[in-house]
Amino acid sequence: PGHFDDGGRRSPMGKSKAKNDAQEVKIGDIPEMIPLEQDTGSFEPLTTSNLPGNSFNVIDRPGHFDDGGVNDLQLILDMRDHAIRRQKGDHEYMKLLNGDNLPKGRVGQIKELSRNDQKGKLAQLLFVEDPEDEDRGPSEVFYGDAGGHNDDAATVKHKKFRLYQAMSALRLSIMLKEAGCVSLSLCELCKRRLQVIKGGGASALRAAELALEIAGEGSWDPDMVIKEAMEEANIVEGEGVDTEGKSLTEGLIENKTAFGLSNPSLCGKYINPRVSLLAKRSGLLQKGNALQALKRFAEAREVYEQCTDLLKNEMRVSRIDWERHSLFLNIGHTFLGEGNFEKAKEFYAKAQDLGDEHIENELGSTKDGKNMVAHALKALARGHKVTGNIDEAKRILKEVVEERRLAMEQEKKEEMEAEENKKMEQSKGVEGATTVKAN
């Protein structure tokens, strides 16, 4: 008498449960949700900036600044968490979080990491630039697939490593069930396949089209994505994919069970529309590059133009202007590929104009502007070389090299002056402290 059954509710893992209870996250420990219609990511400029330099100025809106894309990045990485909170409420979300029941990798060494730490790893794979990349920097201009390069062994090895990293990002995105990151990982696969696989345009295009399907209004097949991640080891050695783009996914019956990021059932209700917009921008750019690799220039140009339309309402800051700049050069390359150099020059000029605007505008980024001009002139020189005007190509490249030399000298001079000023300030600080002590 006086003793009762608990209905089986007591955890058989009492010690582990006690440990989890001690580490329980409370609602007050997580940021309050911003109403979806007010959460615009990096679309709206800031009115204050703690970031150095003028690369973050909105050049046509004095006193407004770019956040460097930080809020956009946060929207993408936290998309599923935000969707669960909006759909189920904070209390249910906290139960899932504290019970370790949110999606995450549960195999290998990564299983010991929390979901949040795994998302940190994913961010490093997807968004942190490798200083050894030959294509490092904000430009995303296509100059030919792996078949057009004469890379040394070290460069080839590094490019393969970056392809493996893209594969790892895709796999981790799948485990975290972060569809926005899955789409961006496929875009990265597209880019890296073009760099590694000779004649890899077809396999790259397949990845880009799947990325856009995820970003779209319909549905997509998670099994197809998993197959893409599984076959990468074969692709990197040049096996498993032929010139027609056939792969391990060939012949599979599609089973589209996941809604796209723009699907009305989710978008605007639980998922921020900006996530799909960002995924589409990346997907369209990489799809255009893949189509260029296949010499389908008119189709590539149409895709680039669609991407350009998505940027019309974005801020005039160097980060976004680099996207516009890349698209102008890529469109120019499609005309050059068709033998229409005169039309190509029109778009190379548009790319150069963006750089000149930054140089001439007091709010612009002079450094970014000069680099944009240099990239545009290199594209122009390439066009002259392709059309047989070698002397003009050499003249332009000589101009670019000389401008770069002068810019490096100026940068070095400014660095030395900044270091000297720093030493003087430190010296004044020491003198002041000595005087105070003496008094």
Side-chain angles (χ1 to χ4, degrees):
H3 290 76
F4 309 93
D5 180 25
D6 70 351
R9 289 189 295 273
R10 186 179 302 165
S11 169
M13 301 291 288
K15 291 183 180 179
S16 296
K17 188 172 186 298
K19 182 180 179 181
N20 286 342
D21 287 343
Q23 298 176 345
E24 185 173 292
V25 181
K26 299 178 180 179
I27 289 180
D29 297 332
I30 60 176
E32 185 177 347
M33 284 290 292
I34 301 173
L36 194 147
E37 63 276 6
Q38 297 177 20
D39 194 0
T40 58
S42 301
F43 179 74
E44 291 293 337
L46 307 174
T47 54
T48 58
S49 177
N50 297 321
L51 299 169
N54 58 354
S55 293
F56 302 94
N57 292 337
V58 181
I59 66 174
D60 56 355
R61 295 180 66 180
H64 291 79
F65 309 92
D66 180 28
D67 70 352
V70 172
N71 286 327
D72 279 347
L73 172 62
Q74 206 67 50
L75 279 181
I76 295 169
L77 287 172
D78 290 338
M79 189 200 77
R80 187 171 183 86
D81 294 76
H82 289 173
I84 293 172
R85 290 177 68 183
R86 290 188 176 106
Q87 190 173 22
K88 298 180 180 294
D90 280 349
H91 285 284
E92 186 63 29
Y93 172 77
M94 298 310 299
K95 285 182 183 179
L96 294 170
L97 178 63
N98 288 316
D100 194 27
N101 291 320
L102 291 172
K104 73 169 195 172
R106 299 185 185 277
V107 293
Q109 294 180 342
I110 202 169
K111 69 181 181 182
E112 303 298 331
L113 298 178
S114 68
R115 172 177 166 81
N116 204 46
D117 288 340
Q118 289 185 13
K119 288 199 293 184
K121 292 284 186 183
L122 178 58
Q124 289 182 325
L125 288 170
L126 271 180
F127 304 113
V128 176
E129 191 172 70
D130 191 322
E132 293 185 29
D133 282 349
E134 66 175 9
D135 61 346
R136 63 187 178 278
S139 181
E140 288 280 359
V141 181
F142 179 73
Y143 284 105
D145 65 12
H149 299 299
N150 294 313
D151 296 327
D152 57 31
T155 301
V156 171
K157 182 179 179 180
H158 180 71
K159 286 183 175 181
K160 285 186 176 182
F161 172 71
R162 292 294 278 163
L163 177 54
Y164 282 127
Q165 281 192 317
M167 175 186 68
S168 298
L170 178 57
R171 289 176 175 173
L172 184 52
S173 299
I174 293 168
M175 289 186 283
L176 290 166
K177 293 190 176 180
E178 285 291 354
C181 293
V182 172
S183 181
L184 293 183
S185 296
L186 286 164
C187 292
E188 188 69 10
L189 273 188
C190 174
K191 177 180 177 179
R192 300 303 171 184
R193 284 176 175 177
L194 288 174
Q195 293 178 344
V196 172
I197 308 168
K198 292 183 179 180
S203 61
L205 178 60
R206 193 178 63 248
E209 288 182 332
L210 186 50
L212 287 168
E213 193 170 56
I214 294 171
E217 297 181 357
S219 301
W220 56 282
D221 185 353
D223 289 340
M224 289 290 183
V225 178
I226 293 171
K227 288 291 185 180
E228 285 293 330
M230 287 173 60
E231 76 175 15
E232 205 62 46
N234 291 328
I235 288 177
V236 80
E237 300 302 331
E239 303 171 359
V241 176
D242 63 19
T243 54
E244 299 299 322
K246 295 179 181 178
S247 71
L248 295 177
T249 61
E250 200 77 11
L252 285 180
I253 298 174
E254 286 190 331
N255 184 23
K256 298 185 177 183
T257 57
F259 286 136
L261 298 174
S262 300
N263 191 291
S265 298
L266 299 176
C267 187
K269 295 179 180 178
Y270 310 119
I271 294 178
N272 195 308
R274 187 158 179 81
V275 175
S276 63
L277 174 67
L278 295 168
K280 286 176 183 177
R281 274 164 44 184
S282 184
L284 288 169
L285 174 61
Q286 297 305 332
K287 181 179 179 180
N289 290 348
L291 288 167
Q292 269 208 83
L294 295 169
K295 301 189 184 302
R296 291 159 60 177
F297 298 116
E299 292 175 70
R301 185 159 58 247
E302 182 179 351
V303 169
Y304 290 138
E305 288 169 351
Q306 290 174 27
C307 192
T308 302
D309 289 341
L310 295 181
L311 293 172
K312 284 183 177 179
N313 296 323
E314 296 291 328
M315 292 184 289
R316 287 298 315 282
V317 293
S318 61
R319 177 175 63 89
I320 306 297
D321 277 351
W322 270 112
E323 284 190 63
R324 297 181 174 103
H325 181 273
S326 297
L327 289 165
F328 285 147
L329 291 187
N330 280 323
I331 291 172
H333 290 348
T334 65
F335 281 115
L336 183 63
E338 294 173 334
N340 191 346
F341 184 35
E342 290 304 311
K343 195 67 178 178
K345 285 193 287 187
E346 291 181 20
F347 284 89
Y348 297 156
K350 288 184 178 183
Q352 184 172 344
D353 288 344
L354 279 176
D356 287 334
E357 282 186 66
H358 277 273
I359 295 170
E360 296 165 6
N361 192 317
E362 62 179 3
L363 296 176
S365 170
T366 302
K367 182 177 180 180
D368 284 304
K370 288 183 177 180
N371 284 333
M372 288 180 194
V373 170
H375 277 276
L377 289 175
K378 286 179 183 177
L380 182 62
R382 177 173 174 265
H384 281 292
K385 181 181 178 181
V386 167
T387 53
N389 194 346
I390 306 299
D391 289 340
E392 181 63 10
K394 288 181 178 179
R395 185 195 68 77
I396 293 172
L397 288 176
K398 184 177 180 180
E399 178 185 332
V400 172
V401 170
E402 177 61 16
E403 182 63 32
R404 180 57 185 156
R405 184 187 68 79
L406 293 174
M408 290 178 67
E409 288 182 358
Q410 182 63 28
E411 288 175 14
K412 187 174 182 180
K413 180 180 178 182
E414 290 174 358
E415 287 175 2
M416 292 176 63
E417 289 177 352
E419 186 64 27
E420 189 64 31
N421 290 336
K422 184 179 178 181
K423 288 179 180 179
M424 290 177 63
E425 291 297 325
Q426 290 175 341
S427 177
K428 289 179 182 179
V430 172
E431 291 176 3
T434 304
T435 303
V436 170
K437 187 174 181 180
N439 291 336

